[in-house]
Amino acid sequence: YSAVNSFEIIQEKLNAYIQKYYTKQLLKGVLLFLTLGLLVFLTVTAVEYVFWLTSALRLLLLIVMTLGFGVLIYQYIAVPLLYLFKIKEGISKNDASRLIGKHFPQVGDRLVNVLDLYNSGKETDLLLAAIDQKSRDIKNVPFVNAVNFKESWKYAKYLVVPALIIGLLLVTGRISDFFSSYKRVVN
């Protein structure tokens, strides 16, 4: 009983780690989507602003922009959400265990070993005792601390580029002229 209880605690902590891992991926995805989406939008608007394209070319720009947004939403937002809500199978518990082991030297391969022992299918007293011992050794390690949100926030700095472009347009007073070209693309 004790071995199963200790192992259940380990599994709950692994599940929490995996949730936080995909939350981090989603945060990174949202930041990249905003950055790349704004750059695509500004590029399409700039092309129309500079060249005053024909309606057929404007339609092509609109289609390219829509497809670009679709790809960005799928890649950076939908995929992490699918993993986060377990609609799509993401990293395995063994892969998560390896990532945790790299972050916490005191865990090392012990977490992978516990999973392997538990999944071996044999339930001998010796095996249950080994699972219990290894689980007790690592159950106080905060697995979720292996996920660092600061790594995702570093992508926020790329939002400066579209912000500078929009700021430059504001300073020059050309912002309404610039964005009126986007209205032409949509119409």
Side-chain angles (χ1 to χ4, degrees), residues 15 18-19 80-90:
N15 288 334
I18 291 169
Q19 288 286 110
L81 281 173
L82 291 172
Y83 290 137
L84 187 63
F85 294 117
K86 298 178 182 173
I87 296 168
K88 192 173 180 182
E89 191 172 327

Side-chain angles (χ1 to χ4, degrees), residues 4-20 86 93 96-97 100 111 114-115 135 138-139 141-144:
V4 174
N5 189 27
S6 295
F7 184 73
E8 286 174 358
I9 292 169
I10 296 294
Q11 280 198 319
E12 287 173 13
K13 292 173 73 167
L14 267 172
N15 288 334
Y17 169 83
I18 291 169
Q19 288 286 110
K20 191 171 178 184
K86 298 178 182 173
K93 289 186 178 176
S97 299
I100 292 167
L111 187 53
V114 168
L115 289 174
S135 295
I138 59 176
K139 77 177 183 182
V141 176
F143 296 165
V144 294

Side-chain angles (χ1 to χ4, degrees), residues 37 71 81 128:
V71 168
L81 281 173
L128 291 175

Side-chain angles (χ1 to χ4, degrees), residues 71-110:
V71 168
L72 291 174
I73 286 173
Y74 175 76
Q75 182 68 36
Y76 293 118
I77 296 175
V79 169
L81 281 173
L82 291 172
Y83 290 137
L84 187 63
F85 294 117
K86 298 178 182 173
I87 296 168
K88 192 173 180 182
E89 191 172 327
I91 62 172
S92 68
K93 289 186 178 176
N94 276 343
D95 292 337
S97 299
R98 285 183 189 87
L99 292 172
I100 292 167
K102 286 180 184 175
H103 186 78
F104 294 110
Q106 70 269 31
V107 172
D109 289 337
R110 285 192 275 177

